[in-house]
Amino acid sequence: QECIPWRKLWEVLNWAVDHDLNTIQRLNQRLARGDWANIVRESDEAYANDVAAAAEQIVARRGEIRIAIVAGPSSSGKTTTTTKLSLLLRERGLHLVPLTVDNYFFDLELHPKDEHGDYDYETPQALDLDLINEHLIALISGEQVWVPFYDFKTGRQQRNHTPMQIAKDEIILIDSLHGLYAPMTSAVPAEAKFKLYIEPLLQMKDDRGEYVRWTDLRLMRRMERDATHRAYDPQRTLEHWHYVRSSELRNIVPYINTADVIVNSALPYELPVMKRRLQESFARWAVQYDHDPLREDAADRAKRVYSLLSQVSDGGPEEVIPGDSLLREFIGGSVYQV
């Protein structure tokens, strides 16, 4: 219960009620009225306002903050959010300099494995947390460090790969699943850190009166992103998702309320988009996994998401979705480098 950001959820629910988007039925009614373009615009504005409010908080603590952390579970929209945040801060004379913590992965043979023999990239214990802390302290002290490089093809880390040093008007950016995981930045004084948490906190009820699950939104986003940008089979994403969730529940969710600001990345219009792109696949998976004892989790998720998408009406043309929309990070066509 203490992990739930109640205040933010109340704010998001209020917005949803005000915009007639708090149930799938109401979303469908707005779509039937030809409101597609307005739904897209209103949803994008709400998200942009959240990011702008975060930027203002950082500006207000200019000189004190040396590290900005953008954290959140898989496919919550960290990439677009960090880009938008960077642009807003640049206008105010502050510059975010990314430190890619993925480069701090241990060599692959040191990673934990699951019962299917898959390596677990979803856990912070796969990262060299001691080296990350050592480098952060050196950087905020004005020193130069040599950042390692992790080669995902070979599964090996090359030490001392890239020199890095930051100036006085620069803030280190950590964009990471596990940015709020305390041991990742434990050596850095609390006042030098700004912590942003992002998740699609959709407040919308389905036809049974149950709230749409945020994890289902992220699963669909990840499927689309992996298929669009990484040539990764969406079916494997579904089969792997329970590892993603178990790591999130251990290493991300407990820290939500340690964040300075929470950004809601849910876009009500993503449901009609995902219906068009994924409903047939989920219908197939719901049948395929139905009696597979090793894939109970995939079966449950497939059935639930198929039921959800079946309730949603068709949306309008995707051309209406602007290139700077967070959803473009997942479906392609983003004006940002994602």
Side-chain angles (χ1 to χ4, degrees):
Q1 293 287 307
E2 69 272 12
C3 304
I4 298 171
W6 294 111
R7 186 173 160 193
K8 184 65 183 177
L9 293 187
W10 183 247
E11 181 189 305
V12 176
L13 179 58
N14 262 347
W15 181 92
V17 171
D18 287 347
H19 291 260
D20 236 6
L21 292 168
N22 56 314
T23 66
I24 288 179
Q25 185 184 13
R26 290 184 173 208
L27 167 66
N28 289 344
Q29 286 167 353
R30 286 199 61 184
L31 290 170
R33 294 199 301 267
D35 257 358
W36 170 246
N38 287 328
I39 295 169
V40 171
R41 179 181 51 76
E42 292 161 20
S43 306
D44 284 350
E45 276 178 9
Y47 160 70
N49 289 340
D50 267 9
V51 179
E56 285 306 314
Q57 285 197 37
I58 294 174
V59 170
R61 290 171 56 193
R62 185 193 293 265
E64 179 185 51
I65 294 171
R66 303 310 318 276
I67 298 172
I69 296 165
V70 176
S74 175
S75 302
S76 47
K78 293 182 292 296
T79 304
T80 300
T81 302
T82 54
T83 303
K84 286 182 181 289
L85 193 62
S86 296
L87 293 170
L88 289 169
L89 291 175
R90 198 177 300 158
E91 290 170 8
R92 308 294 289 273
L94 290 172
H95 300 272
L96 294 181
V97 180
L99 178 69
T100 306
V101 293
D102 279 5
N103 284 322
Y104 290 82
F105 275 121
F106 287 117
D107 287 353
L108 196 58
E109 64 262 24
L110 302 175
H111 286 216
K113 269 188 181 180
D114 60 44
E115 69 268 31
H116 295 289
D118 290 335
Y119 288 105
D120 189 355
Y121 278 105
E122 308 289 345
T123 171
Q125 285 77 26
L127 294 163
D128 189 340
L129 299 173
D130 289 340
L131 187 61
I132 291 172
N133 275 283
E134 186 186 310
H135 281 182
L136 288 174
I137 287 297
L139 286 166
I140 65 176
S141 305
E143 297 169 27
Q144 178 179 285
V145 301
W146 285 85
V147 177
F149 173 74
Y150 189 80
D151 187 336
F152 281 90
K153 287 195 182 74
T154 63
R156 296 205 165 272
Q157 185 200 97
Q158 299 169 27
R159 296 296 286 258
N160 304 330
H161 187 273
T162 313
M164 179 174 177
Q165 194 166 13
I166 60 164
K168 286 215 167 7
D169 64 343
E170 292 178 330
I171 296 170
I172 300 165
L173 168 68
I174 294 178
D175 160 11
S176 169
L177 282 173
H178 302 299
L180 298 185
Y181 180 64
M184 185 181 281
T185 59
S186 56
V188 179
E191 62 273 12
K193 292 184 272 196
F194 178 83
K195 296 184 283 187
L196 182 154
Y197 179 80
I198 178 167
E199 186 164 1
L201 305 170
L202 191 71
Q203 295 297 291
M204 185 184 287
K205 286 188 174 178
D206 64 16
D207 291 351
R208 291 193 302 276
E210 294 178 3
Y211 281 105
V212 174
R213 297 199 187 192
W214 311 330
T215 182
D216 292 341
L217 296 176
R218 296 188 293 101
L219 170 63
M220 290 186 279
R221 287 177 174 188
R222 177 133 158 192
M223 283 176 169
E224 281 300 300
R225 185 191 65 194
D226 285 351
T228 303
H229 299 292
R230 303 177 186 181
Y232 193 80
D233 181 0
Q235 192 166 344
R236 286 192 62 195
T237 306
L238 176 64
E239 292 177 355
H240 187 77
W241 195 251
H242 66 106
Y243 305 123
V244 175
R245 276 304 284 154
S246 63
S247 178
E248 289 170 359
L249 292 168
R250 279 196 318 275
N251 302 310
I252 300 175
V253 171
Y255 301 101
I256 292 173
N257 282 323
T258 66
D260 295 290
V261 70
I262 295 173
V263 168
N264 169 34
S265 70
L267 304 164
Y269 66 85
E270 66 190 281
L271 287 173
V273 171
M274 295 304 179
K275 176 192 176 77
R276 181 184 294 137
R277 288 166 169 255
L278 288 169
Q279 185 177 4
E280 285 180 17
S281 297
F282 274 101
R284 189 172 66 252
W285 296 327
V287 174
Q288 180 184 336
Y289 293 122
D290 195 22
H291 298 295
D292 185 342
L294 293 176
R295 297 295 185 193
E296 280 183 26
D297 183 84
D300 289 346
R301 291 184 196 280
K303 288 174 194 169
R304 188 174 68 228
V305 174
Y306 174 62
S307 169
L308 167 66
L309 296 179
S310 300
Q311 298 170 35
V312 178
S313 295
D314 291 331
E318 287 187 10
E319 293 76 39
V320 168
I321 303 169
D324 65 350
S325 163
L326 177 137
L327 194 61
R328 290 283 178 198
E329 179 180 328
F330 305 99
I331 65 171
S334 178
V335 295
Y336 305 130
Q337 209 173 349
V338 295

